Amino acid sequence: MKRILILCCCLFSLAAQAQKLSESAVEDISSKMASRFLVRNDPALVFVTEQMNRSGSGGLEVDKTMQELQKDPAALDAALKFLYQYSDCNRQTLIANLRGMNVSSGNVFPLATYIVNKNKNEAKALQDEKAELYRIGAIPKEITISTVMVAPPTAQQQPVSDAGALSSNTTTAPATTAGTTTTPAAATEDTRNWDVRSVFAATRPDDLVTLYGKENLELRDATDLDGNDAGKAWFVYPDTDNEMQVIFNEDSSKTITFAHERSKWKSPFGIKPGDPIDKVNKINTRAFRVNGFEWTNGGIVDSWQGGAIDKKGVTILFRAVNSGDPKLYDQFTGEKKFSSDNTGLKKLGVIVEKVVFRTYQ
């Protein structure tokens, strides 16, 4: 009996070691992922980063998280799980991807073993989730350079020293030369950076000038989701489908708001105006609570109920597209709160009207 106990203890010890990565492996995979992340068009890391964004594992400052995975074991485990998911939960595909990232040969198999063992019970769920995310458009099926971070326009304005100078409405037209012809391809090519994460690193209005050009910025009065005065906001691409509002708050945080359905912006969690409430349910991984329409804070999320978006600095305002049925609409209006998985919301066509991200540098 004593021998059996000793044998069990040894087996338990080996099993525990199998579930732990060496410092060398942690440092290796962290540095390789950080390096691949900076390339911005590596398909595997684009997928991983999208999932880190969507799940909230990377927080709102996902750029920093992806470059410092070694310091955050939970985030590293999440990144490895999503790499496994990207590899269709197939060990050989995972090994090929690790090798493709130039992970040291001595760390490939320990990493693959660790990742598979840690996530094997979730393999089917991860594959199903991947298929569902593609289906609802939370992650694009085809990841190209145009869907990730790319170079800003070549004709970029220099930062201004005075924030007040940014409020000019002057637009500078590109110079033309008589007799020259611009090809249609050159005129329609869009190489602007549509990744919202770029704004998270901004600390002052001058940074927005560097990113988007002075001619694409305007300082205006802004309101919060309930229509109250929110002070001044910098409007990027004002009065267009790509309008974005940025408020630099006194506590060094930023409030970034989107309200246009046809916007090109690529945002954290993949949430954008026009998305149905059911999509937000799936991204949050559970139902959440919303304030009744036509009341104080009407249509604004009251609580994410501990879901994936909870405590991530995300606030959403919903609206009902089909509010013509008074009896049905009245069930969701007034001084009350309702659950986002209520079947009546589908008949009302409830969608995201505005989405706000609050982030700290």
Side-chain angles (χ1 to χ4, degrees):
M1 183 66 181
K2 193 172 183 179
R3 290 181 180 178
I4 293 175
L5 288 173
I6 293 173
L7 179 61
C8 289
C9 288
C10 291
L11 290 174
F12 179 81
S13 177
L14 289 171
Q17 290 178 16
Q19 292 299 314
K20 185 176 180 180
L21 288 172
S22 67
E23 291 184 11
S24 170
V26 169
E27 182 180 0
D28 191 11
I29 188 62
S30 299
S31 64
K32 295 301 165 44
M33 279 193 156
S35 176
R36 288 284 179 172
F37 170 76
L38 291 174
V39 173
R40 302 295 188 185
N41 63 351
D42 180 278
L45 264 296
V46 168
F47 180 89
V48 169
T49 306
E50 287 286 345
Q51 281 291 66
M52 295 290 281
N53 260 330
R54 190 201 65 79
S55 67
S57 303
L60 289 182
E61 306 292 348
V62 71
D63 289 60
K64 183 177 180 181
T65 301
M66 291 302 296
Q67 294 176 67
E68 298 180 354
L69 288 171
Q70 188 175 356
K71 299 179 181 179
D72 190 338
L76 176 59
D77 272 344
L80 295 177
K81 178 177 74 173
F82 296 136
L83 180 63
Y84 181 55
Q85 185 180 37
Y86 173 77
S87 305
D88 293 325
C89 300
N90 180 285
R91 180 184 173 86
Q92 293 307 313
T93 305
L94 174 64
I95 288 172
N97 283 326
L98 288 170
R99 286 175 171 161
M101 293 166 60
N102 295 319
V103 170
S104 299
S105 58
N107 289 323
V108 169
F109 287 97
L111 276 165
T113 300
Y114 173 82
I115 296 169
V116 172
N117 286 343
K118 193 169 186 66
N119 300 287
K120 61 185 178 182
N121 293 332
E122 295 184 60
K124 186 179 186 306
L126 288 171
Q127 292 179 75
D128 291 345
E129 180 193 48
K130 181 181 177 182
E132 178 65 9
L133 289 172
Y134 282 156
R135 187 187 71 78
I136 66 175
I139 293 180
K141 288 184 179 180
E142 299 297 330
I143 298 176
T144 61
I145 293 178
S146 63
T147 65
V148 294
M149 295 182 71
V150 295
T154 53
Q156 198 68 276
Q157 300 290 328
Q158 293 298 317
V160 295
S161 56
D162 179 29
L166 292 174
S167 60
S168 170
N169 293 325
T170 304
T171 300
T172 304
T176 57
T177 305
T180 60
T181 303
T182 303
T183 63
T188 58
E189 184 180 6
D190 189 350
T191 60
R192 287 172 290 181
N193 180 0
W194 294 110
D195 197 311
V196 176
R197 290 172 295 175
S198 299
V199 186
F200 293 168
T203 59
R204 54 186 185 140
D206 282 0
D207 295 329
L208 297 180
V209 178
T210 303
L211 288 168
Y212 308 113
K214 187 175 87 171
E215 72 278 13
N216 294 317
L217 292 173
E218 188 173 335
L219 186 63
R220 295 180 177 178
D221 293 328
T223 58
D224 62 19
L225 294 185
D226 204 32
N228 301 311
D229 179 27
K232 296 289 186 180
W234 293 103
F235 282 64
V236 182
Y237 302 120
D239 304 319
T240 71
D241 287 338
N242 297 311
E243 182 177 279
M244 170 176 64
Q245 299 177 35
V246 182
I247 297 177
F248 292 88
N249 302 305
E250 292 183 359
D251 60 357
S252 298
S253 67
K254 290 174 291 296
T255 303
I256 305 166
T257 305
F258 299 91
H260 293 272
E261 294 184 20
R262 291 185 292 276
S263 171
K264 294 181 180 179
W265 292 104
K266 182 182 176 187
S267 64
F269 299 100
I271 299 170
K272 61 183 184 300
D275 283 342
I277 195 169
D278 186 51
K279 174 179 173 179
V280 183
N281 273 328
K282 292 174 181 176
I283 292 174
N284 191 50
T285 69
R286 66 181 62 182
F288 48 91
R289 195 169 62 227
V290 184
N291 293 311
F293 296 115
E294 313 297 345
W295 202 257
T296 303
N297 296 319
I300 298 175
V301 174
D302 174 66
S303 171
W304 290 110
Q305 302 288 75
I309 308 178
D310 198 16
K311 299 178 182 177
K312 298 299 189 301
V314 181
T315 306
I316 292 179
L317 169 65
F318 290 96
R319 70 180 176 90
V321 176
N322 308 316
S323 57
D325 183 342
K327 290 185 179 179
L328 177 60
Y329 190 47
D330 285 350
Q331 296 177 29
F332 302 95
T333 61
E335 193 176 4
K336 63 183 71 168
K337 304 180 191 299
F338 58 83
S339 178
S340 62
D341 62 354
N342 190 302
T343 55
L345 299 177
K346 196 164 188 178
K347 295 178 182 178
L348 288 176
V350 176
I351 63 171
V352 175
E353 180 172 359
K354 293 183 179 181
V355 57
V356 176
F357 301 100
R358 190 179 180 105
T359 178
Y360 292 82
Q361 169 58 20

